[in-house]
Amino acid sequence: MNRRMALRQIATLTSVFSGLLPLQALAQSSTDALLFSGPRNPLAAPWASWKAAYLSADGRVVDAMQQGASHSESQGYGLLLAALFGDTAAFDLIFAWTEDNLAIRSDALLAWRWLPADNGGVPDLNNASDGDLFYCWALVIRGQREGNVIMLDRARAIATDLVAKCVVPSPDNSGRSLMLPAAQGFSENGAVDINLSYYMPLAMREVALATDTPLLSKCAGDGIEIMRMLASEGPMPDWIGIGPNGLFVSAKQSDRNGYEAMRVALFLIWSDNADHPAVAAQLAVYRAAETRDRAKLAGGKSVTVFDRRSGAVLETSSHVGYGALPALMECIKSKGIGSTIPFYRTTDQAYYPATLHLMALIVQITASPECVPI
């Protein structure tokens, strides 16, 4: 697992999705299948481009916009993509680096961030539950596919500690279970802060089933219900507080609909919840912005931050991956054929939007194959 892989630079992508319509025959509900492996893999070129741009030769997924950091989220996302694409070489590299550099806590969870400054290191041993979840899900997918006991045992250890350290009863006495963003720092004075973009229902359910941690599956269902409650007010907030009296705006965290919350609708669609009101609420603010804020979106820009109460556009970005999310939602909700999902590229695009872009294409194929980019 200490092998080094020389990554080749991939030429500029042209028509990645030409001849894609036959994918309707490939679509299926389970991400466990090797849907994207082999010579017919429709996302082979985007995956190769992603690796060339963001995966270092030693297995570190680099987030250049965040001080060149690697974090459990990036390693978890990378490991999941490698698992879905059946790329054992990339998987082994990412797994080895992560185990060597982030699996340094006294439990089975991962330290949340590694920084390259001063010869590299982990300045904070706290975990991030979404990074642990995606990393664990990738281990489950590969472990079950190969009957790999080592991978499944590691997944079981992570899931067990994730439930033990990060799953708590809701303080509002609703009977719901909540997944905290980390083991420390998000519970105070009888209230908690949660981040609903850390909830990936499909991952939570598949991990729960594979690792005998049913409370994780309960968390998924309870999280979906909280999203339903919040959707009546607009799109999801990046963060929300929950106390004895129910939901409230956290004084410590952002109530905006931004870089965190934009993932919620994507993960709901991926989890076969495209009809959830949170998806409709997110699409509604995107649609309103297209009509009301055309000047801000000139030059192909996409909204990255909304005021969730008024729907006002607060921030935009020219990174095309952010535009993949509303395009996917629009096509699914309109039940049309073809979509305005941008063609994939890593040039002029940072790790995070590029990864969301690739995930949106995976979801397009698995959840709505008629929404091919046109």
Side-chain angles (χ1 to χ4, degrees):
M1 289 191 293
N2 291 320
R3 290 175 293 167
R4 298 293 184 264
M5 181 174 66
L7 299 176
R8 297 181 300 166
Q9 294 295 322
I10 305 300
T12 302
L13 299 177
T14 53
S15 182
V16 172
F17 284 89
S18 59
L20 201 60
L21 284 174
L23 283 174
Q24 295 185 35
L26 290 177
Q28 50 188 279
S29 61
S30 174
T31 49
D32 194 8
L34 275 171
L35 185 61
F36 304 99
S37 68
R40 294 188 65 223
N41 176 9
L43 297 180
W47 171 234
S49 182
W50 187 95
K51 289 189 295 181
Y54 314 113
L55 181 61
S56 69
D58 62 355
R60 185 167 80 86
V61 181
V62 180
D63 187 349
M65 298 289 287
Q66 299 292 329
Q67 306 175 60
S70 294
H71 24 74
S72 59
E73 174 212 275
S74 66
Q75 298 302 118
Y77 285 175
L79 200 70
L80 174 68
L81 293 170
L84 292 179
F85 294 136
D87 190 334
T88 56
F91 188 105
D92 289 346
L93 283 169
I94 296 168
F95 179 69
W97 187 93
T98 309
E99 292 295 300
D100 287 345
N101 293 278
L102 296 183
I104 58 175
R105 291 168 50 96
S106 59
D107 55 27
L109 305 179
L110 303 174
W112 79 277
R113 183 173 64 164
W114 182 97
L115 291 170
D118 300 323
N119 297 317
V122 173
D124 180 3
L125 283 175
N126 207 6
N127 72 307
S129 57
D130 64 330
D132 293 317
L133 175 64
F134 274 87
Y135 190 77
C136 188
W137 191 25
L139 294 171
V140 165
I141 291 171
R142 182 171 176 185
Q144 289 185 330
R145 178 185 298 143
E146 299 178 357
N148 189 318
V149 175
I150 293 175
M151 296 293 172
L152 291 173
D153 283 349
R154 179 72 174 109
R156 190 172 296 108
I158 294 172
T160 299
D161 282 347
L162 185 60
V163 168
K165 302 293 179 69
C166 297
V167 174
V168 299
S170 180
D172 63 1
N173 295 315
S174 62
R176 286 188 285 266
S177 297
L178 306 176
M179 185 174 74
L180 299 179
Q184 291 89 35
F186 295 93
S187 179
E188 186 178 18
N189 299 325
V192 299
D193 290 335
I194 64 170
N195 187 318
L196 289 168
S197 74
Y198 283 28
Y199 285 59
M200 202 307 187
L202 179 62
M204 297 166 84
R205 289 168 177 154
E206 291 194 353
V207 167
L209 186 62
T211 63
D212 193 24
T213 51
L215 199 55
L216 198 58
S217 184
K218 182 179 184 302
C219 265
D222 291 345
I224 287 173
E225 182 57 31
I226 294 170
M227 295 172 197
R228 189 178 305 277
M229 294 164 60
L230 287 166
S232 64
E233 303 173 354
M236 295 301 98
D238 286 337
W239 295 84
I240 192 72
I242 303 179
N245 297 319
L247 302 172
F248 66 92
V249 176
S250 172
K252 291 184 176 181
Q253 307 288 357
S254 166
D255 181 49
R256 304 186 306 178
N257 172 259
Y259 294 96
E260 306 266 3
M262 66 171 59
R263 296 176 289 191
V264 172
L266 175 68
F267 292 163
L268 283 170
I269 296 168
W270 201 342
S271 303
D272 198 26
N273 290 105
D275 291 332
H276 193 284
V279 178
Q282 189 69 49
L283 180 57
V285 290
Y286 279 128
R287 284 175 170 173
E290 285 289 335
T291 302
R292 185 187 59 213
D293 299 286
R294 290 181 179 176
K296 292 183 179 180
L297 302 180
K301 291 182 179 179
S302 300
V303 183
T304 51
V305 182
F306 289 100
D307 181 296
R308 69 177 295 262
R309 305 291 178 176
S310 67
V313 173
L314 301 181
E315 292 183 27
T316 64
S317 173
S318 59
H319 293 195
V320 297
Y322 294 125
L325 303 183
L328 174 67
M329 282 180 257
E330 186 66 60
C331 185
I332 287 176
K333 282 297 184 181
S334 65
K335 302 186 186 303
I337 302 298
S339 75
T340 57
I341 299 173
F343 287 110
Y344 189 83
R345 69 173 190 264
T346 55
T347 54
D348 303 321
Q349 185 160 216
Y351 143 80
Y352 184 61
T355 303
L356 293 180
H357 195 166
L358 189 50
M359 287 180 171
L361 294 173
I362 291 170
V363 175
Q364 174 259 312
I365 292 169
T366 58
S368 186
E370 67 275 11
C371 287
V372 290
I374 57 174

